[in-house]
Amino acid sequence: MDRFEELFSKYDFSNLDFESVSNKAHQLVKDGFERNNDKAVYSQLLSFIDITSLNFGDSFDSIISFVNKINAFDDHFEILPHPAAICVFPAFVPIVKDNLQENLDIASVIGFPYPHTFTEVKIAEAAMAVMEGASEIDYVLPSSLFLSGNYDDVYMEITEIKSACQNAKLKVILETGLLNSPVMIKKASILSMVAGADFIKTSTGKYSINATLEAVYVMANAIKEFNQLNSSKVGLKVAGGVSTTSDAVSYYTLVKSVLGEEWLTPDYFRIGASKLVNHLLSSISGKDIAYF
């Protein structure tokens, strides 16, 4: 038995067929949705959002404009919490650092959205982003290596990038839509956490299959088991296709049901969905708001 087979043997992989996972995930949401579907939760959800600009057309001017909207958020919505972080491409991190006035984390992306480059390039990119002011790094798991069973190479890459992050948090993007099965999602979750991930994240938002309740259910249970075995809490980030208030409440309900209230803080739960801010603001105010 190699070390990764031994690692995975410590975790429960029973009842991880798609039908069972789907039934459990949707039942938990059904059971808890109405209890969480209120304005207090909508407001709390605002504080979990990584507000993001990762577009082909991003420029210094557009990022400055984006940051200025965040700076003015409290002026428009003073009784509401502002988002947890702003996420941009590495080249724009210094612009955000120089212009951001609010107390948000600055996140950047590494090997994004495609992980097919040299590990050394990803390490350098992470180190430079942190040097320029990033306090969080969102990094894409090399899915082709993982799916071919090269767990050693994946583990080493994650550990090296984690080292390059220094004190910055590392979020490992699993791109769950590519992983084919709940079993593979759980293995990727475990491997990432053991290698040093501070968060595991569903998706880049650039692939055709984004976040799903099934993937988040599997990831949340992997985090729960990892914490039980290691007394170490890892965060969960839902990203890709989360745009409506109903979507956000569903994922909130699922995380709360599996991991409990102690995970419902920006330290351990994030949602990557800029458009969601407008929907939450509209749901809170009762009128259409298109701030971002």
Side-chain angles (χ1 to χ4, degrees), residues 190-202:
I190 294 165
L191 181 57
S192 298
M193 291 187 289
V194 170
D198 298 293
F199 275 76
I200 51 176
K201 174 179 171 182
T202 57

Side-chain angles (χ1 to χ4, degrees), residues 42-51 67 69-86 100-105 266 270 277 280-281 284 291-292:
Y42 305 160
S43 178
Q44 188 181 12
L45 283 163
L46 283 171
S47 71
F48 301 151
I49 292 177
D50 286 359
I51 192 158
V67 172
K69 284 203 167 188
I70 293 171
N71 290 337
F73 187 86
D74 287 347
D75 295 335
H76 294 275
F77 312 104
E78 62 179 335
I79 66 170
L80 297 176
H82 56 61
I86 176 172
L100 185 64
Q101 298 168 9
E102 295 296 325
N103 185 28
L104 273 70
D105 285 314
R270 297 285 183 86
V277 176
L280 290 171
L281 291 173
I284 292 166
Y291 186 73
F292 288 106

Side-chain angles (χ1 to χ4, degrees), residues 7-8 11 13 141 146 158 172-174 176 179 182-197 199-202 215-224 226 234-236:
L7 170 65
F8 296 142
Y11 292 80
F13 282 87
L141 182 88
F146 177 80
I158 297 172
V172 178
I173 306 171
L174 305 184
T176 53
L179 296 184
V183 168
M184 297 306 286
I185 292 171
K186 187 161 189 175
K187 286 184 175 181
S189 299
I190 294 165
L191 181 57
S192 298
M193 291 187 289
V194 170
F199 275 76
I200 51 176
K201 174 179 171 182
T202 57
V216 171
Y217 175 82
V218 173
M219 292 166 67
N221 276 283
I223 289 170
K224 184 176 182 178
F226 182 82
V234 173
L236 194 159

Side-chain angles (χ1 to χ4, degrees), residues 2-216:
D2 72 17
R3 63 171 175 154
F4 292 105
E5 289 178 354
E6 183 178 0
L7 170 65
F8 296 142
S9 72
K10 298 175 183 178
Y11 292 80
D12 183 9
F13 282 87
S14 62
N15 300 313
L16 275 184
D17 60 283
F18 182 82
E19 183 177 0
S20 296
V21 166
S22 184
N23 288 340
K24 290 175 183 175
H26 284 268
Q27 189 63 51
L28 286 175
V29 172
K30 181 180 179 181
D31 291 344
F33 185 90
E34 288 306 321
R35 289 195 301 273
N36 299 313
N37 189 29
D38 60 38
K39 291 183 179 182
V41 171
Y42 305 160
S43 178
Q44 188 181 12
L45 283 163
L46 283 171
S47 71
F48 301 151
I49 292 177
D50 286 359
I51 192 158
T52 301
S53 187
L54 296 170
N55 305 308
F56 183 81
D58 286 347
S59 65
F60 290 153
D61 288 343
S62 71
I63 296 299
I64 290 172
S65 177
F66 188 51
V67 172
N68 286 339
K69 284 203 167 188
I70 293 171
N71 290 337
F73 187 86
D74 287 347
D75 295 335
H76 294 275
F77 312 104
E78 62 179 335
I79 66 170
L80 297 176
H82 56 61
I86 176 172
C87 185
V88 296
F89 284 114
F92 298 119
V93 168
I95 301 298
V96 175
K97 184 180 179 182
D98 289 345
N99 290 276
L100 185 64
Q101 298 168 9
E102 295 296 325
N103 185 28
L104 273 70
D105 285 314
I106 302 174
S108 193
V109 290
I110 300 304
F112 183 94
Y114 309 113
H116 311 304
T117 189
F118 301 105
T119 297
E120 292 81 0
V121 172
K122 299 176 192 178
I123 292 169
E125 195 171 30
M128 292 175 70
V130 171
M131 180 181 69
E132 294 291 351
S135 54
E136 300 181 356
I137 297 296
D138 289 36
Y139 147 84
V140 185
L141 182 88
S143 52
S144 58
L145 284 177
F146 177 80
L147 289 170
S148 63
N150 290 330
Y151 299 144
D152 273 301
D153 291 342
V154 175
Y155 176 86
M156 289 303 298
E157 181 168 288
I158 297 172
T159 58
E160 289 174 357
I161 291 172
K162 172 62 178 174
S163 178
C165 288
Q166 300 179 55
N167 294 324
K169 291 181 179 179
L170 175 63
K171 306 192 197 96
V172 178
I173 306 171
L174 305 184
E175 200 68 282
T176 53
L178 281 171
L179 296 184
N180 303 326
S181 73
V183 168
M184 297 306 286
I185 292 171
K186 187 161 189 175
K187 286 184 175 181
S189 299
I190 294 165
L191 181 57
S192 298
M193 291 187 289
V194 170
D198 298 293
F199 275 76
I200 51 176
K201 174 179 171 182
T202 57
S203 322
T204 61
K206 307 297 184 181
Y207 184 61
S208 58
I209 303 173
N210 289 307
T212 63
L213 291 174
E214 291 79 8
V216 171

